[in-house]
Amino acid sequence: MQLIELLNRIPTLDIHGDNTREVSELVFDSRKVTENALYIAVRGTVADGHSYIASSIEKGAKTIVCEEFPDDLDDNITYVKVKDSSKTLGHLASNFYGNPSEKLKLIGVTGTNGKTSVSTLLFDVFKNLGYDSALLSTVEIRIGNEIIPATHTTPDVITINQILAKALDAGCEFAFMEVSSHGIAQNRIEGLHFKIAGFTNLTHDHLDYHKTFDDYLKTKKRFFDELQDTAIAITNVDDKNGNVMLQNTRATKRSYALKTMADYHGKALEIDFNGMLLNFNGKEFWTTLTGRFNVYNLLLVFGIASELGFEQSEILQAISILKRVSGRFETFKSDGGIFFIVDYAHTPDALENILDSINDIRTKNERLITVFGCGGDRDHSKRPEMGNIATKKSTLAIITSDNPRTEDPAVIIKEIEAGVEPQNFSKYTSIPDRKEAIKMAIKFAEPKDIVLVAGKGHENYQEINGIKHHFDDKEVINELWKLMSK
């Protein structure tokens, strides 16, 4: 593609050199530069891409996009000066891949909890409706039946446009995408055209990155602030921050709720471990998904599909045959009658939601044993809060390691224990080794008891001292149960 085409609709401050030069690919990592590539010098939190302009030229880059020209300009190179390289990168990527997000119906889902579930459920609902779609989620990236491993909640903007262009070529009409706060803050969704933006909820999380809750909220809000007037924004008005998201948006505003009046209103008529009988906008249906938080997830799915023009009865039929998302309230029963639940809950709100959902369902004749931990090198302030929630709402809580990363698991556990109230001291124990903690839960459990293993869900690794080791909660439960029941 010629540079002049690539710069279409992109404001520039200065151009030095040939603007008709051919560009073979876009690169913002100087280590990946190839012949005739365009290198974008982005200022990062750790390194400044402007420091690698010379090495990028040595590797074959013929076009440089930057915020400041180097002191010595090479006449064989084209330099483009822009105000913000990071934001410009998104628009360049969109142009380079033919603006696929304008041609697809791109739906973004943001919030603290539920992003993965809602995005995946949307993908599955539209498959049930007969449509091939693209999915960009924490668990996986999919184009129709093709699965591409996912490494981040929100990939870099070049990768996103590559995937969307590939989805378009494969005949997809819809794309469903998790939009993380990191992705918003780092301009990874810049230049994308969203048809619908959905908001799940906002609770205490990622404060290791955002530093304050206000900054976290403003980052999420920016997603809605930057929507075009052709888009639709649909928000959970039961969440106190739901309406905040819509304050400055140009998009058409829609709402969903269980407790208040909304465009899409839901009600749980029956909930048990096998599923739920629900009523959405006056229509009853059954789903095998369970848990009150899933009522919100499904209601957002229902609202988004309705806004895309599908008949509500048709949507509910597609929802009623959905299967559970991997690692999200995934349930299985052992031969000995113990009920196991594996869930990704790793924030105070998510842990409280899953425990409340279990306690809503159980008869209280069964005991609830919770195995959980907190990730290392992340927000410390949520640790005591999770310790309080788990011990208050479980018969027994076993505090263990999650992904300690570079932190000492014993230090993390002590911070969790600090939140346990005196009356609950007898309701917990600490076992740093996660496998041993699960083993203790199985040993303690009797027939009909419920064992919740929370925090890792779909993840099949445990990161210790910066090294990832294979660890899958479901595999470990099955392995230990077989050994211990012999």
Side-chain angles (χ1 to χ4, degrees):
M1 178 182 280
Q2 281 195 338
L3 177 60
I4 193 166
E5 294 175 78
L6 199 51
L7 294 174
N8 182 39
R9 298 186 295 183
I10 296 175
T12 59
L13 301 177
D14 195 3
I15 298 178
H16 181 276
D18 181 8
N19 69 355
T20 63
R21 187 182 296 281
E22 285 291 328
V23 173
S24 61
E25 68 171 328
L26 306 180
V27 182
F28 63 91
D29 182 341
S30 61
R31 295 167 297 182
K32 297 178 181 177
V33 169
T34 56
E35 193 67 27
N36 297 320
L38 181 152
Y39 172 68
I40 308 104
V42 176
R43 298 187 196 277
T45 51
V46 177
D48 184 350
H50 289 75
S51 304
Y52 302 98
I53 289 174
S55 64
S56 296
I57 292 170
E58 283 175 18
K59 288 183 177 127
K62 295 293 188 290
T63 306
I64 304 295
V65 174
C66 52
E67 294 171 17
E68 291 177 19
F69 283 164
D71 293 334
D72 299 315
L73 297 180
D74 185 332
D75 290 337
N76 297 313
I77 305 297
T78 301
Y79 300 87
V80 181
K81 186 190 281 190
V82 296
K83 184 180 177 183
D84 187 327
S85 296
S86 179
K87 288 191 172 186
T88 300
L89 172 59
H91 297 279
L92 286 170
S94 289
N95 284 348
F96 189 81
Y97 290 99
N99 296 291
S101 65
E102 293 182 25
K103 297 165 186 173
L104 285 160
K105 291 183 178 72
L106 177 62
I107 289 85
V109 181
T110 197
T112 304
N113 302 309
K115 297 185 298 294
T116 302
S117 293
V118 173
S119 303
T120 307
L121 291 169
L122 279 163
F123 179 86
D124 291 339
V125 161
F126 276 71
K127 188 175 183 180
N128 292 343
L129 289 168
Y131 292 85
D132 274 341
S133 305
L135 170 68
L136 292 89
S137 84
T138 310
V139 179
E140 62 186 7
I141 293 169
R142 298 190 66 169
I143 298 171
N145 293 321
E146 182 186 356
I147 300 174
I148 303 163
T151 55
H152 297 85
T153 309
T154 310
D156 69 78
V157 74
I158 295 175
T159 304
I160 291 170
N161 277 281
Q162 282 176 338
I163 292 164
L164 296 180
K166 192 175 177 183
L168 204 58
D169 289 342
C172 296
E173 189 179 335
F174 305 95
F176 306 106
M177 176 179 168
E178 279 189 58
V179 178
S180 67
S181 57
H182 290 66
I184 299 165
Q186 295 166 12
N187 299 316
R188 287 187 242 151
I189 59 167
E190 191 70 30
L192 298 178
H193 291 256
F194 288 90
K195 175 70 178 169
I196 298 179
F199 171 75
T200 57
N201 49 61
L202 198 71
T203 60
H204 198 114
D205 198 21
H206 298 306
L207 298 195
D208 54 303
Y209 180 84
H210 295 284
K211 306 307 177 191
T212 67
F213 186 80
D214 187 55
D215 181 51
Y216 180 43
L217 183 147
K218 284 176 179 172
T219 302
K220 292 286 190 187
K221 186 176 179 297
R222 182 179 143 195
F223 177 39
F224 296 90
D225 290 350
E226 294 178 358
L227 291 172
Q228 297 179 333
D229 57 10
T230 53
I232 296 165
I234 177 166
T235 187
N236 174 8
V237 290
D238 281 346
D239 187 284
K240 62 184 178 183
N241 296 300
N243 281 319
V244 175
M245 296 296 137
L246 304 182
Q247 281 173 356
N248 302 313
T249 189
R250 291 173 292 167
T252 300
K253 299 173 183 179
R254 294 287 184 266
S255 60
Y256 69 100
L258 302 183
K259 301 172 185 173
T260 54
M261 292 294 293
D263 297 302
Y264 298 99
H265 188 268
K267 189 176 181 183
L269 304 176
E270 291 176 27
I271 301 181
D272 62 34
F273 286 122
N274 297 313
M276 302 182 288
L277 179 64
L278 305 177
N279 184 307
F280 285 180
N281 281 13
K283 296 177 173 66
E284 286 187 18
F285 69 102
W286 174 263
T287 173
T288 58
L289 275 68
T290 194
R292 196 161 297 278
F293 57 94
N294 264 326
V295 185
Y296 280 103
N297 292 340
L298 291 173
L299 189 55
L300 179 53
V301 168
F302 175 70
I304 288 170
S306 298
E307 291 299 326
L308 287 169
F310 289 86
E311 288 290 329
Q312 293 188 352
S313 54
E314 187 182 16
I315 299 164
L316 294 178
Q317 189 175 356
I319 288 175
S320 68
I321 56 173
L322 285 172
K323 293 178 182 173
R324 297 181 187 185
V325 178
S326 175
R328 266 68 175 178
F329 212 110
E330 224 175 324
T331 60
F332 51 101
K333 199 173 183 180
S334 73
D335 296 338
I338 299 167
F339 208 88
F340 292 98
I341 300 170
V342 173
D343 194 86
Y344 188 53
H346 61 285
T347 66
D349 184 66
L351 185 62
E352 187 162 31
N353 279 338
I354 190 85
L355 288 169
D356 283 346
S357 293
I358 295 168
N359 283 320
D360 281 348
I361 297 167
R362 74 185 183 104
T363 63
K364 306 298 185 290
N365 293 320
E366 324 89 340
R367 295 176 301 173
L368 171 55
I369 305 152
T370 301
V371 180
F372 81 105
C374 291
D377 304 331
R378 296 293 187 270
D379 182 9
H380 290 243
S381 61
K382 70 182 182 184
R383 294 173 184 175
E385 195 178 344
M386 289 178 70
N388 180 31
I389 290 164
T391 51
K392 188 162 55 175
K393 295 178 180 283
S394 309
T395 311
L396 171 69
I398 303 174
I399 303 170
T400 188
S401 295
D402 191 280
N403 288 321
R405 298 183 177 92
T406 63
E407 274 195 80
D408 180 351
V411 172
I412 298 172
I413 288 171
K414 277 195 180 301
E415 291 185 11
I416 296 170
E417 290 175 334
V420 180
E421 295 177 349
Q423 67 269 28
N424 295 321
F425 283 171
S426 62
K427 293 176 65 182
Y428 87 91
T429 187
S430 300
I431 303 174
D433 185 294
R434 192 173 181 89
K435 187 171 182 177
E436 288 300 314
I438 294 171
K439 187 176 181 179
M440 167 74 175
I442 295 172
K443 224 180 234 184
F444 184 75
E446 296 176 354
K448 296 186 179 178
D449 283 349
I450 301 154
V451 176
L452 167 66
V453 182
K456 296 186 61 58
H458 64 281
E459 290 179 351
N460 60 2
Y461 65 87
Q462 192 172 27
E463 191 176 335
I464 303 168
N465 293 323
I467 299 167
K468 287 186 177 181
H469 306 266
H470 181 78
F471 195 100
D472 185 309
D473 284 343
K474 288 175 283 185
E475 282 181 18
V476 170
I477 290 166
N478 284 317
E479 175 198 330
L480 289 172
W481 174 255
K482 283 175 186 172
L483 281 172
M484 294 168 70
S485 57
K486 281 181 180 176

